[in-house]
Amino acid sequence: MEKRGSFGSRFGTIAAVGGSVIGLGNIWRFPYVAGENGGAAFMLIYLIISLLISIPIMLSEFAIGRSTRSNPMRAFSRLAPGTPWKGVGYTGILCAFVILSFYCVIAGWALEFLGDSALNRFAGLTPGQIAGNFDTFVASGWRPILWTLVFIGATAFIILSGIEKGIERYNKILMPVLFLLLAGMAANAMTLDGAREGIAFLLRPDFGKITAKTVLEALGQSFFSMSLGMGCMITYGSYLRKNENVLRIGGMVALSDITVAVLSGLAIFPAVFSFGISPTSGPELVFVTLPNVFARMTGGYFLSILFFFLLFLAAITSSVSLMEVIVAYLSEEFPVGRKRAVALTAGTVAVTGSLCALSMIPSSALTVGGMNLFDLCDALSSNVMMPLGGLLIVLFAGWVLSPAKLRRELTGGMRYGTKVYPLVRFLIRFVIPVLILLLFLNRTGVL
Ligand code: PFF
């Protein structure tokens, strides 16, 4: 077993956890899922869920990880030896594979678009031509695969350069830049013709549109966006120093995550309506919308390069954390060493990722029950595996982990957060499990 690293500073910790949390989930997935689920009503539920459900789950994961300082599997078997709880760790690893498989494809799209931006390929194109170019790119098959593989290689490279140097160094500087750029893009979007309609779509809820499906989609989106329910935050929690205030870190990370998602919604929906694109376009929404914005904006050439570069970086800091879940497990539980663990993981994801990319070609045979492999991995992870994992994690933190340990981890031995702790514990023990369970029972037709 190799010695475990630890994050070097508070800012480094927030940057690293933030790097995992902020990614394609905020900028690519949030707008497309919000668009498919009615816009503002979805966003409202997403906000409530993020504050009430996701933050306590993140704290539970930190508590489990930090108290054991080990990978999810071992964390569960240390805290509840000889019980099936370590199964939560195994499903987490599986979930990391499922997510990586489609995540790398989208990150690959960002790389293609980075290249297109640099070559100024969007200039002067109509919205129809931009959408057509996208379709041709996806249908080519080999180009998306090539970029997927490049991205997986880059992720593996960062992991091999070590925890602190690899993850923290890149995140510290670049995430704030991304934040500013998105804010600028949102401000610019307000000036587009027809922006009002887009803003109303995102901010004026139609409560009639809320169904159990909307709620489950919002839950899944929030978990995906905050990297929850699959052991990622347990793994990162295990690198947290003992004197770190986890309540503050959880709160700050969650708040930045939500802000980035809302900002990208504000940057994208006015443009969606302004350019006559359908909000229900699905996974391609951001990629067929933003090039139109850049093509018509002063400085659009440079801004588009900057945007897709930062999107790529946001994606890679998240994919590093996904791969880290698997690598930490393999290298700590088997005598393979980090290098070989990384090679094994990257090799497997290269195959599954390429299959996901191929499944997006129209009329591809890579479908299951009418859904292509890409959509299946996306829906399976966010709407089934992560909510289920989240449910089991809060049940574990609330009912199996000793109350003294939970309290010690979340309040630093009574040094902070003693006022909010009872509320967090109540949410963890009662409110969250009941809500997720009801949602599942409803979606599976039992209720
Ligand atoms: N939270 C990441 C995003 O929003 O892009 C995706 C993600 C990373 C999910 C790590 C799960 C995970 F463990």
Side-chain angles (χ1 to χ4, degrees):
M1 202 178 117
E2 303 195 357
K3 187 174 164 295
R4 292 183 77 73
S6 215
F7 293 126
S9 68
R10 165 157 318 143
F11 190 60
T13 310
I14 294 178
V17 178
S20 164
V21 162
I22 294 168
L24 296 173
N26 311 63
I27 300 164
W28 156 74
R29 199 173 189 280
F30 175 78
Y32 111 68
V33 179
E36 282 182 341
N37 288 282
F42 172 90
M43 179 146 114
L44 187 69
I45 300 175
Y46 160 82
L47 289 177
I48 296 173
I49 287 179
S50 297
L51 296 175
L52 237 58
I53 300 187
S54 302
I55 293 182
I57 296 189
M58 182 177 279
L59 297 175
S60 305
E61 294 205 23
F62 282 162
I64 294 171
R66 190 168 64 169
S67 67
T68 51
R69 289 186 62 86
S70 45
N71 67 65
M73 228 87 42
R74 192 172 298 184
F76 283 108
S77 37
R78 269 205 198 146
L79 293 167
T83 63
W85 279 105
K86 65 170 187 266
V88 181
Y90 287 115
T91 31
I93 295 209
L94 192 68
C95 188
F97 266 118
V98 173
I99 297 178
L100 270 175
S101 305
F102 71 89
Y103 204 85
C104 295
V105 176
I106 303 296
W109 292 2
L111 285 173
E112 164 87 8
F113 275 61
L114 176 59
D116 285 348
S117 302
L119 297 172
N120 207 9
R121 287 226 177 103
F122 301 125
L125 296 189
T126 63
Q129 287 167 325
I130 284 175
N133 274 355
F134 177 84
D135 292 341
T136 318
F137 161 62
V138 169
S140 82
W142 69 268
R143 257 177 35 226
I145 291 185
L146 181 75
W147 288 123
T148 302
L149 297 180
V150 168
F151 183 78
I152 294 170
T155 305
F157 171 77
I158 292 189
I159 296 225
L160 282 176
S161 65
I163 304 243
E164 289 202 343
K165 281 185 268 106
I167 304 176
E168 291 177 25
R169 200 172 54 202
Y170 300 98
N171 289 359
K172 271 189 214 175
I173 318 156
L174 293 159
M175 288 303 111
V177 180
L178 176 67
F179 195 84
L180 289 179
L181 179 65
L182 273 175
M185 284 167 62
N188 171 68
M190 307 295 159
T191 66
L192 293 170
D193 290 337
R196 272 214 176 149
E197 219 183 320
I199 296 167
F201 179 78
L202 198 63
L203 299 183
R204 198 174 306 143
D206 172 358
F207 293 102
K209 284 196 181 142
I210 299 177
T211 61
K213 177 177 173 288
T214 325
V215 181
L216 185 62
E217 292 270 359
L219 184 87
Q221 172 57 28
S222 178
F223 285 12
F224 183 83
S225 191
M226 290 202 211
S227 312
L228 299 177
M230 41 152 309
C232 184
M233 289 297 131
I234 298 182
T235 307
Y236 270 25
S238 76
Y239 301 129
L240 286 179
R241 294 181 306 178
K242 281 288 176 204
N243 58 357
E244 213 66 82
N245 181 339
V246 285
L247 289 178
R248 181 167 343 136
I249 291 182
M252 279 175 68
V253 167
L255 229 60
S256 9
D257 186 60
I258 295 169
T259 315
V260 174
V262 174
L263 276 182
S264 45
L266 288 173
I268 285 156
F269 281 106
V272 165
F273 283 85
S274 177
F275 295 113
I277 295 164
S278 162
T280 58
S281 302
E284 66 196 67
L285 183 68
V286 173
F287 291 89
V288 295
T289 305
L290 290 183
N292 289 298
V293 177
F294 292 126
R296 280 158 192 75
M297 192 175 173
T298 24
Y301 171 70
F302 292 105
L303 288 176
S304 65
I305 297 176
L306 184 65
F307 175 80
F308 286 112
F309 178 63
L310 291 175
L311 185 61
F312 155 70
L313 285 171
I316 205 159
T317 51
S318 302
S319 66
V320 159
S321 75
L322 279 160
M323 206 179 263
E324 180 63 33
V325 173
I326 307 169
V327 170
Y329 166 67
L330 289 178
S331 61
E332 287 175 18
E333 300 300 317
F334 300 97
V336 287
R338 275 182 77 87
K339 254 196 201 134
R340 269 206 284 165
V342 170
L344 204 69
T345 312
T348 314
V349 176
V351 176
T352 52
S354 301
L355 290 176
C356 274
L358 282 177
S359 81
M360 298 199 86
I361 300 177
S363 81
S364 155
L366 291 163
T367 56
V368 182
M371 228 186 205
N372 70 39
L373 194 63
F374 176 97
D375 290 335
L376 183 74
C377 288
D378 186 357
L380 189 69
S381 48
S382 285
N383 298 344
V384 182
M385 298 179 92
M386 299 176 103
L388 197 64
L391 171 64
L392 293 170
I393 285 167
V394 274
L395 284 175
F396 187 87
W399 298 92
V400 182
L401 195 67
S402 85
K405 223 173 226 169
L406 184 68
R407 181 183 209 108
R408 179 161 22 92
E409 287 302 333
L410 295 192
T411 63
M414 311 292 275
R415 276 184 297 121
Y416 49 73
T418 46
K419 286 219 182 76
V420 288
Y421 175 71
L423 170 69
V424 173
R425 181 157 185 263
F426 180 71
L427 290 171
I428 289 177
R429 279 166 72 88
F430 300 103
V431 180
I432 300 175
V434 170
L435 284 179
I436 300 184
L437 210 61
L438 284 178
L439 212 51
F440 264 130
L441 292 178
N442 179 291
R443 288 300 292 152
T444 48
V446 179
L447 263 182

